[in-house]
Amino acid sequence: GENVEQHPSTLSVQEGDSAVIKCTYSDSASNYFPWYKQELGKRPQLIIDIRSNVGEKKDQRIAVTLNKTAKHFSLHITETQPEDSAVYFCAATPSGSARQLTFGSGTQLTVLP
Amino acid sequence: NAGVMQNPRHLVRRRGQEARLRCSPMKGHSHVYWYRQLPEEGLKFMVYLQKENIIDESGMPKERFSAEFPKEGPSILRIQQVVRGDSAAYFCASSPDGGGANEQFFGPGTRLTVL
């Protein structure tokens, strides 16, 4: 089955700086990679996703890159704000039909004002 | 369009009791997933259901846990004879049919505490 590893487990940045979170996956059949943001005591919220037919996707201050050869993908947040502070989870799954998501262990991002 | 609904939001049970967690998917979604999140850990897949069918239960403990998604009504995750190790947040997610089938949207979770 799929195994997803996520680094770092904690990340502190100054407000306005960029934050990068990295994930690797093991199953070459995986080709859908979502990122979720979870605030304390709240539900995970889908913030961006990427499919294997593209290498990069952007949505305002958030971008995701994918390297299928190396089996890794990354989340980039630019111009960080205090409200970006949360736990971020990457996930992977084979596309084409509804399947379970395999999640990384999470990154606690703290944006210092 | 209401999001994924879960109830109860908090559930306290004593060891040996039964816990029933309910999940109503988003309108138009026929795929339901249950995940468990232990404190300060990631989400672990438990079971995937479509209406009246269990598609994948590879993440479900073999004993005491069961899930259903009847033709009418919410999906239910049932835990019999709860133990302290069952204390966790249980999240339900749903996804639509068709090309967007992989996009999963999560409910607010049920936080189960076993005394």
Side-chain angles (χ1 to χ4, degrees):
Chain A
E2 178 64 277
N3 182 48
V4 177
E5 295 193 356
Q6 184 171 346
H7 300 281
S9 56
T10 61
L11 178 61
S12 292
V13 299
Q14 289 293 139
E15 183 176 357
D17 287 351
S18 295
V20 180
I21 302 170
K22 299 181 179 181
C23 289
T24 60
Y25 62 98
S26 62
D27 189 347
S28 57
S30 288
N31 52 12
Y32 173 67
F33 307 93
W35 286 88
Y36 287 84
K37 175 184 180 182
Q38 187 178 29
E39 297 176 2
L40 188 64
K42 301 287 183 65
R43 74 183 77 192
Q45 289 193 302
L46 179 66
I47 56 171
I48 195 167
D49 58 15
I50 191 167
R51 298 180 192 270
S52 60
N53 56 343
V54 297
E56 184 176 3
K57 184 177 178 180
K58 286 185 179 179
D59 183 3
Q60 299 183 336
R61 297 186 296 109
I62 295 173
V64 57
T65 60
L66 171 65
N67 183 328
K68 282 215 75 177
T69 302
K71 294 184 191 170
H72 67 70
F73 56 112
S74 300
L75 178 71
H76 304 252
I77 307 174
T78 59
E79 301 173 21
T80 54
Q81 301 167 3
E83 51 265 38
D84 295 329
S85 296
V87 179
Y88 291 81
F89 293 98
C90 62
T93 189
S95 186
S97 62
R99 301 274 183 92
Q100 58 165 294
L101 291 172
T102 300
F103 283 86
S105 54
T107 296
Q108 172 67 64
L109 173 64
T110 302
V111 180
L112 304 169
Chain B
N1 186 7
V4 179
M5 309 290 287
Q6 288 187 251
N7 68 81
R9 297 290 305 277
H10 300 274
L11 183 60
V12 179
R13 285 287 179 265
R14 296 191 180 278
R15 282 179 296 170
Q17 292 185 320
E18 178 180 287
R20 281 186 179 238
L21 289 62
R22 297 176 194 79
C23 169
S24 297
M26 288 178 69
K27 187 176 180 181
H29 288 194
S30 62
H31 304 265
V32 167
Y33 312 81
W34 286 92
Y35 294 86
R36 177 164 63 179
Q37 186 175 38
L38 294 170
E40 299 187 10
E41 292 190 12
L43 295 110
K44 302 295 186 187
F45 168 78
M46 299 181 73
V47 61
Y48 158 40
L49 311 101
Q50 285 184 277
K51 281 290 187 181
E52 300 185 275
N53 290 303
I54 296 174
I55 307 301
D56 180 356
E57 56 182 346
S58 59
M60 194 97 98
K62 299 298 182 199
E63 298 179 350
R64 302 189 297 109
F65 286 72
S66 62
E68 63 178 9
F69 189 14
K71 187 176 181 180
E72 301 291 336
S75 175
I76 295 177
L77 179 68
R78 182 182 178 203
I79 311 173
Q80 295 178 289
Q81 300 172 7
V82 296
V83 300
R84 289 213 173 116
D86 297 332
S87 295
Y90 292 83
F91 288 96
C92 163
S94 71
S95 67
D97 290 327
N102 294 116
E103 296 172 345
Q104 295 185 20
F105 298 90
F106 282 79
T110 294
R111 280 148 186 85
L112 173 65
T113 302
V114 180
L115 302 177

